[in-house]
Amino acid sequence: MRISVIGCGYLGAVHAASMARLGHQVVGIDTDAAKVDSLARGEAPFYEPGLPELLRETLSTGRLIFTTEIAAAGDAQVHFLCVGTPQKRGEYAADLRYVDAAVDALLPHLAPGSLVAGKSTVPVGTARRLAALVAEAEPDAMLAWNPEFLREGYAVKDTLHPDRLVYGVPDGAGSDAGLRAEALLDEVYAGPLAEHTPKVVTDYTTAELVKVAANSFLATKISFINAMAELCEATGADVTQLADAIGHDARIGRKFLNAGLGFGGGCLPKDIRAFMARAGELGVDQALAFLRQVDAINMRRRVRMVDLAREVCGGSIVDRNVAVLGAAFKPDSDDIRDSPALNVAAQMQLQGAHVLVTDPAAMANAEKAWPDLSYAPTAQAAAAGADVVLLLTEWQEYRDLDPTAFGQVVAGKRIIDGRNVLDPAAWRAAGWTYRALGRP
Ligand code: UGA
């Protein structure tokens, strides 16, 4: 099929390359010329395992091109909207300016019979509004909402082999228009469908809600276990054993029950807030009042981390040397949006500590966004002379640190495991004071 992908950030770049990999003819479009140039050279403008290889492979087939020209979308049968929907400044609601701008730009180029498929995470009701604009511009074009569930760090795999496909189609499943939209999307996703990927065909609003409901559930799971961590801290219990034990119940499951510094990134935090804002507009804010607690529990973990560091340093962090391992919001990503690690680093610096931050992939982004923090190229360099080491993003190379060798570089062998990934016994045996969130 001929496909356009509008917006080539974390979502769109991976989607464009993956669609080409599935055999389609794809044009990726973005207003950022530097990003387009980099993608066209086969260089991913952000860190995503497997994406550079996929870009080079698909570019060399001639099936994938990148451009800043929206007119290049004119030939496509399906247009994927992959632009960002960040949190509005000073408000909980989502900022839809990029979605609106993308649709405005695309409308004059819509061909009869084409389908606009929204992938961005949007407030419920957006698809219906955009469908009216599409119908006005080209009565024979359609809109569908096809939310994306990829995780950064696994984006290529999640796109090529998704765990489910959700289509929100015009007039709902089974209607004439709905069946036409479904047939087009089935052709796009013929590869994953042949692998028996479950497919849910529904109306616009359900499809929009599926996405925010999924992210809200994930955020709730993380905050639930972090609330248990607070209880463990008050009682001397161990939250990692608690998570293992409740996780054996298949109804609960062990995934997303890793207690620690909590969730960040460009999705979970802003999605739960936008969902609360939208519920308020719909007059059902009470239904999502619990998400306020989910958010509050999550933010409290960052404060607790600073307090724990102070405790470990004997009551004050003023003039103390602090090594922060990790700047990305999670490992295998260079994304620093709402990064818990950088939030903690900045709080500690503001409170008088000398903080050195390191990260295997996110340093350039961190330095740009947080120029007042100081950075070191490696964990060893960050920890040289440190009074306390904070492991805040669980990159494999930090999990693999040898406590004996690492103990040689620091001034004081104190470590706080913000992600509960180190072996406390091994670190204590090497002479370290080991502390963690939610563990004795
Ligand atoms: C999340 C969802 O997992 C994806 O399904 C969704 O498509 C995506 O948002 C999106 O809306 O685009 P992502 O933001 O890449 O994906 O990150 P996650 O893997 O969900 O992790 C989010 C945060 O939760 C990270 O800061 C991570 O460290 C934290 N986390 C995760 C925990 O603190 N504990 C856990 O057990 C799991």
Side-chain angles (χ1 to χ4, degrees), residues 128 145 166-173 201-208:
R128 188 177 298 159
W145 216 260
V166 176
Y167 306 170
V169 295
D171 306 329
V201 185
T202 181
D203 52 81
Y204 289 154
T205 53
T206 306
E208 290 166 320

Side-chain angles (χ1 to χ4, degrees), residues 114 142 166 173 183 235 257 307 311 332 358 400:
S114 62
M142 279 179 301
V166 176
T235 56
L257 282 185
D307 289 345
E311 195 183 311
D332 299 311
T358 189
D400 292 342

Side-chain angles (χ1 to χ4, degrees), residues 121 148-152 211 215 218 222 256-258 262-264 267-268 271 329-330 419:
T121 303
E148 178 57 54
F149 304 99
L150 67 78
R151 299 158 295 170
E152 288 177 24
K211 170 68 195 202
N215 275 1
L218 294 172
I222 298 168
F256 266 67
L257 282 185
N258 294 323
F263 59 82
C267 302
L268 263 42
D271 285 355
F329 84 103
K330 70 171 189 181
R419 294 293 178 179

Side-chain angles (χ1 to χ4, degrees), residues 224-225 228-229 231-232 237-248 254 257:
F224 174 83
I225 201 64
M228 294 305 109
L231 267 293
C232 289
D238 184 329
V239 74
T240 62
Q241 291 186 326
L242 184 144
D244 289 344
I246 63 173
H248 284 303
R254 180 62 178 82
L257 282 185

Side-chain angles (χ1 to χ4, degrees), residues 330-369:
K330 70 171 189 181
D332 299 311
S333 171
D334 66 354
D335 194 345
I336 54 146
R337 288 177 290 173
D338 202 350
S339 163
L342 285 173
N343 183 302
V344 167
Q347 279 189 64
M348 296 197 57
Q349 170 153 300
L350 281 172
Q351 294 178 31
H354 304 294
V355 182
L356 266 181
V357 181
T358 189
D359 190 282
M363 294 275 279
N365 286 342
E367 282 179 272
K368 222 181 293 159

